[in-house]
Amino acid sequence: MTTNNPNIDLQPGEDAAVFAGGCFWCTEAVFLALKGVKKVISGYIGGKTINPTYKDICTGETGHAEAILIIFDPEQITFGELLEVFFATHDPTTINRQGNDVGTQYRSEIFYLNEEQKIEAQDYIALLTQENTFGKKVVTKMSPATTFYEAEDYHQNYFDRNPTQGYCSFVIPPKIEKLKQKFPEKLKS
């Protein structure tokens, strides 16, 4: 894959996608379950502060979104399939909000890494809009990817390491269940 983003290092046979869909603990858990996904990194993108911390972005003043960088094998799962899962496992009709998480850091946004991703995402959003899939307007933003800042170590693989943490045990299992019901063929065994 050709990426316009110099801070995303890919190995031969790898591709990448960057999505923001609310709390990165949730989106990370969803995408880690998919066949062909090699790695998911939680982080921050789309803001003005250099090297932001979790504390910084929680103020909502840095402009960053909580996002995930997905490293995947395009021979096993395509960018289009990742888009399908992304839109099916978060609410793309709310501005700066996912459930009880409110603020610009929880916005729905696709940070495209090249022109092909931009066009594919635009076409998919147009299809969802045409089919009125959600019964409301899709408000997911699209932006060229800027610097992706990896979140602190304790945020990485958070759900797997903290399944009984209150937020995790309440919010993430319904998303995983939805994933299992809607995309059983895409799940790792």
Side-chain angles (χ1 to χ4, degrees):
M1 176 193 126
T2 303
T3 174
N4 297 334
N5 197 318
N7 81 321
I8 297 175
D9 185 31
L10 296 174
Q11 301 304 310
E14 292 181 340
D15 205 342
V18 181
F19 297 146
C23 171
F24 49 33
W25 297 344
C26 298
T27 51
E28 177 192 65
V30 165
F31 285 91
L32 276 173
L34 297 174
K35 286 181 200 168
V37 170
K38 294 179 159 193
K39 187 174 188 179
V40 179
I41 302 167
S42 292
Y44 318 114
I45 191 170
K48 60 187 181 297
T49 302
I50 296 171
N51 294 317
T53 65
Y54 185 65
K55 184 177 177 183
D56 294 335
I57 69 109
C58 283
T59 67
E61 295 176 14
T62 71
H64 290 88
E66 284 193 19
I68 54 170
L69 168 61
I70 304 163
I71 307 295
F72 64 99
D73 177 350
E75 296 291 321
Q76 294 183 45
I77 191 164
T78 66
F79 180 73
E81 290 173 303
L82 294 175
L83 282 174
E84 187 181 7
V85 171
F86 173 67
F87 280 103
T89 56
H90 86 291
D91 183 352
T93 69
T94 56
I95 296 174
N96 299 331
R97 170 182 212 130
Q98 288 297 306
N100 290 329
D101 293 330
V102 179
T104 58
Q105 67 270 31
Y106 300 116
R107 66 187 179 266
S108 175
E109 189 162 0
I110 296 166
F111 294 91
Y112 54 87
L113 296 166
N114 56 44
E115 197 64 23
E116 293 81 20
Q117 286 187 353
K118 177 183 179 182
I119 292 166
E120 192 166 354
Q122 285 174 330
D123 290 348
Y124 195 74
I125 290 171
L127 177 66
L128 293 173
T129 300
Q130 177 186 339
E131 294 180 351
N132 195 27
T133 302
F134 300 101
K136 297 185 218 173
K137 182 180 180 191
V138 172
V139 297
T140 301
K141 291 176 59 179
M142 287 189 45
S143 302
T146 55
T147 302
F148 182 88
Y149 296 99
E150 190 169 327
E152 296 82 349
D153 286 346
Y154 70 92
H155 288 297
Q156 308 304 326
N157 204 19
Y158 194 86
F159 179 60
D160 282 346
R161 293 186 298 113
N162 301 280
T164 60
Q165 190 264 8
Y167 180 92
C168 289
S169 64
F170 181 72
V171 176
I172 298 174
K175 289 179 180 284
I176 300 295
E177 194 53 42
K178 188 175 192 179
L179 182 70
K180 288 177 181 176
Q181 289 176 6
K182 193 160 175 102
F183 304 104
E185 74 288 354
K186 291 183 182 0
L187 299 178
K188 293 175 181 168
S189 48

